[in-house]
Amino acid sequence: MSSRFGPIAKLSGWWTSALLTGLGLGVVTNLAQGWLPGAWNQVANSGAVWCVPAFVVGAVLADWASARSAAVAGLCASVGLVVGYYGYAEFGRDGMGSLAYPLMWLVMAVISGSLFGVAGLWWRNGRTVRNRVIGLAALGGVFGMEGIMYAFVLHYAPQAWACLAILVLVPLVMAHRRRERLPTLLTALALALLAYLVVEFPLQYVTI
């Protein structure tokens, strides 16, 4: 009986750990806004940075977990980030204000956390070149999306260049094989533009 439920207990432990890690990182990103100088405080709670924990969790689980399990773990990490960030804003600062923004980001965390959990798993243990390329390109692409926002919306040139550097370095440094670097970079560029048009651009017109 114990061997039958062993994998379930193991996954539950990982999901719990991902949630708690996300909570801690959410508090840290809130605090980091006061630590980082000037416009760099935007980086602390950027959408791209918040996608990294879910990606890492998926990559860590890749050797034995399924894509569904990695998606749930990534979801837990991202939801934890939102809860930790706004929880600290409520109880450690002057309050988080309206519930509308936390609820909006929770919905986005459920979607992005699941996707980046699978992306991390695909990058680490993808069975096909396409899976590995898409998984890693998702990570580079989300920083490319932020770079577009910093360059053309906020006009923060240093932050835009930093995101562009990450977009380029992710395929060059993290691709499993040399022949996968260029396809990953090109896919990341395409995903960056797509993500900006589908996610970031509409958010500029959201008023809550």
Side-chain angles (χ1 to χ4, degrees):
M1 184 66 70
S2 60
S3 61
R4 178 181 177 182
F5 292 100
I8 297 176
K10 188 175 183 181
L11 280 172
S12 298
W14 270 106
W15 296 341
T16 302
S17 297
L19 179 62
L20 293 175
T21 300
L23 284 168
L25 290 174
V27 173
V28 170
T29 56
N30 193 305
L31 290 169
Q33 285 190 299
W35 299 338
L36 297 174
W40 285 103
N41 61 21
Q42 293 279 339
V43 177
N45 65 329
S46 75
V49 172
W50 276 26
C51 289
V52 172
F55 184 90
V56 171
V57 167
V60 170
L61 297 181
D63 287 337
W64 59 274
S66 66
R68 181 179 299 179
S69 299
V72 175
L75 180 156
C76 290
S78 294
V79 168
L81 274 164
V82 176
V83 174
Y85 179 88
Y86 282 103
Y88 184 80
E90 177 66 23
F91 299 107
R93 293 190 183 273
D94 298 327
M96 61 181 173
S98 171
L99 282 174
Y101 276 112
L103 290 175
M104 181 186 74
W105 289 114
L106 273 176
V107 171
M108 295 187 68
V110 170
I111 299 171
S112 66
S114 301
L115 292 175
F116 278 89
V118 175
L121 180 142
W122 278 4
W123 163 68
R124 177 78 183 279
N125 202 23
R127 295 182 179 180
T128 66
V129 172
R130 184 177 70 174
N131 283 2
R132 292 194 298 271
V133 166
I134 292 175
L136 187 56
L139 181 63
V142 75
F143 280 95
M145 176 194 73
E146 291 264 297
I148 295 173
M149 180 192 69
Y150 285 134
F152 298 105
V153 179
L154 299 177
H155 304 291
Y156 295 161
Q159 290 79 1
W161 283 112
C163 287
L164 178 61
I166 295 173
L167 167 66
V168 174
L169 286 173
V170 162
L172 293 180
V173 175
M174 297 176 63
H176 289 284
R177 297 175 177 85
R178 288 186 178 180
R179 66 174 182 270
E180 295 177 12
R181 291 175 179 172
L182 182 58
T184 302
L185 178 58
L186 295 176
T187 304
L189 288 169
L191 290 178
L193 181 59
L194 178 63
Y196 179 79
L197 293 175
V198 173
V199 179
E200 197 67 54
F201 183 73
L203 282 177
Q204 297 170 29
Y205 298 93
V206 172
T207 56
I208 299 178

